[in-house]
């Protein structure tokens, strides 16, 4: 069964509590529940992690080779700042899909740049919880291409 690593970046553990006007009421637990349910239907195995720590995310990405087929990542604020996460993805040799709950291009200018996008297979941005589900569908389609 194909294996997909889902990585939620910093502050996403506070979804449903944090800046509800921007991110809505959906909690991370609900997103993970929806992903797990869809993964079952699509017959893929998921491992899900959330971290506020850049190095921990870098380590997890570096550990994917031979263990995971695709990485589904919302790098959150690190999207806009982390050369380390970008380099980890480009060095891992495991395809990555970038997702965002909000449309980062419709927000503050500093969010318009993603350091991750150029090393990702693609990006889905702006659909709330659905961004993750669409990202999972895209991840599964990549496992079938191989
Ligand atoms: C986010 C967008 C980022 O700019 C922000 O720092 C986040 C969440 C999103 O999912 O919309 O924490 O990645």
């Amino acid at each position: 069964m194909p294996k997909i690593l889902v990585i939620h970046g910093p502050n996403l553990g506070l979804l449903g509590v944090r800046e509800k006007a921007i991110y809505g009421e959906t909690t991370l637990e609900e997103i993970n529940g929806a992903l797990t349910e869809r993964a079952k239907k699509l017959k893929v195995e998921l491992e899900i992690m959330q971290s506020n720590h850049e190095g921990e995310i870098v380590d997890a990405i570096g550990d994917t080779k031979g263990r995971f087929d695709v990485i589904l990542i919302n790098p959150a604020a690190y999207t806009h700042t982390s050369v380390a996460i970008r380099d980890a993805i480009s060095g891992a040799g495991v395809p990555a899909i970038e997702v965002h709950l909000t449309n980062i291009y419709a927000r503050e200018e500093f969010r318009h740049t993603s350091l991750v996008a150029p090393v990702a297979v693609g990006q889905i941005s702006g659909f709330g919880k659905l961004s993750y589900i669409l990202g999972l569908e895209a991840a599964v389609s990549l496992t079938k291409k191989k």
Side-chain angles (χ1 to χ4, degrees):
M1 206 189 267
K3 273 192 87 176
I4 295 165
L5 176 64
V6 179
I7 303 176
H8 301 288
N11 300 308
L12 293 174
L14 296 175
L15 283 177
V17 180
R18 162 201 189 205
E19 299 183 282
K20 285 194 207 174
I22 297 171
Y23 295 110
E25 308 243 335
T26 308
T27 64
L28 192 62
E29 214 179 350
E30 284 164 349
I31 290 174
N32 289 342
L35 280 172
T36 305
E37 202 177 295
R38 184 61 67 100
K40 255 188 219 153
K41 285 191 187 132
L42 295 169
K43 300 196 179 355
V44 293
E45 204 178 313
L46 285 194
E47 192 171 306
I48 304 177
M49 62 170 280
Q50 189 274 325
S51 178
N52 295 327
H53 305 278
E54 188 176 19
E56 219 167 82
I57 296 171
V58 169
D59 284 346
I61 293 167
D63 218 27
T64 50
K65 189 142 188 84
R67 299 182 54 229
F68 291 93
D69 299 283
V70 186
I71 299 165
L72 181 63
I73 182 168
N74 183 349
Y78 289 141
T79 307
H80 320 296
T81 63
S82 181
V83 176
I85 290 176
R86 173 204 175 104
D87 286 355
I89 291 172
S90 68
V94 174
I97 295 170
E98 177 185 353
V99 300
H100 297 284
L101 294 154
T102 59
N103 178 354
I104 56 172
Y105 304 99
R107 298 184 60 191
E108 303 96 319
E109 203 167 335
F110 68 87
R111 297 186 204 274
H112 297 182
T113 302
S114 167
L115 299 185
V116 170
V119 295
V121 179
Q123 183 197 70
I124 299 158
S125 172
F127 298 97
K129 180 171 88 175
L130 183 61
S131 289
Y132 281 95
I133 302 294
L134 295 171
L136 180 61
E137 296 275 355
V140 172
S141 84
L142 289 182
T143 69
K144 290 185 178 149
K145 264 196 193 164
K146 287 202 295 188

